[in-house]
Amino acid sequence: MPPPSQLPQVTTDYYEILVVRELRKVGLEVADLRIHRRTELPEPERGFLLELRAVLSRAEWRRIGLIACRRQEGAIVPEAVESVAGRLTEARAEVALLFSTADFTPDALRAAERLGVGLLRLVEGRRAFDSGGWGTPGHYPAWLPAYLVEVVDRDVAGQMRYRLLEAERSDMILDRLEKQG
């Protein structure tokens, strides 16, 4: 099974569909979605960056979001998080989410907490199934999506963790959008 950073079949169009699906799954409304920027990433990342701008809402909460989608080889570093946060004004957005096919470094998580950026990792559904204890590894149910999304945060001991997004649990994302420091 390929590591999360090597998901070559995830195109920009497919990434956009996955992101909207996952945001809606947690209970967020996604409206006025449009591409803000699309660019190829240079060496050593080798991949692409797709930035989407959308109105995100749930009950009384409503914000314009900048949603960065990165497919790259190496781990996400603080500069990538700072770049997304730094582009909020240009995008006329209020909150930032950074989706990635790669892991995040601990320093990237610290930067996200400081800047109020939500971090999410796209993972292959089979990988999540095998590591999640849902059934026998290697035997996959027909309902299993090709890709799932994990939120990146800290556990009660302060250690970095990845948790699969849960239906109707928008708090898993919205809680990350508050600046910690």
Side-chain angles (χ1 to χ4, degrees), residues 14 18 21-22 25 122-129 134 140-149 164:
Y14 193 44
L18 290 169
R21 178 193 77 191
E22 291 296 312
K25 176 176 87 178
L122 184 68
V123 294
E124 186 180 37
R126 290 179 175 194
R127 178 178 175 214
F129 186 88
W134 298 333
Y140 308 109
W143 54 260
L144 185 68
Y147 299 99
L148 296 167
V149 172
L164 284 174

Side-chain angles (χ1 to χ4, degrees), residues 57-79:
S57 60
R58 181 199 74 177
E60 294 86 41
W61 188 91
R62 183 180 189 273
R63 302 285 188 283
I64 298 173
L66 179 62
I67 305 163
C69 306
R70 293 181 74 102
R71 189 188 82 200
Q72 68 180 60
E73 293 295 317
I76 301 295
V77 296
E79 292 79 13

Side-chain angles (χ1 to χ4, degrees), residues 79-126:
E79 292 79 13
V81 176
E82 293 162 356
S83 174
V84 173
R87 297 178 61 71
L88 283 171
T89 301
E90 175 194 324
R92 294 176 314 209
E94 302 164 283
V95 296
L97 298 173
L98 175 55
F99 284 78
S100 173
T101 57
D103 291 334
F104 291 86
T105 66
D107 288 339
L109 177 56
R110 278 190 284 282
E113 291 168 339
R114 179 174 44 85
L115 297 167
V117 175
L119 301 182
L120 300 116
R121 180 175 69 170
L122 184 68
V123 294
E124 186 180 37
R126 290 179 175 194

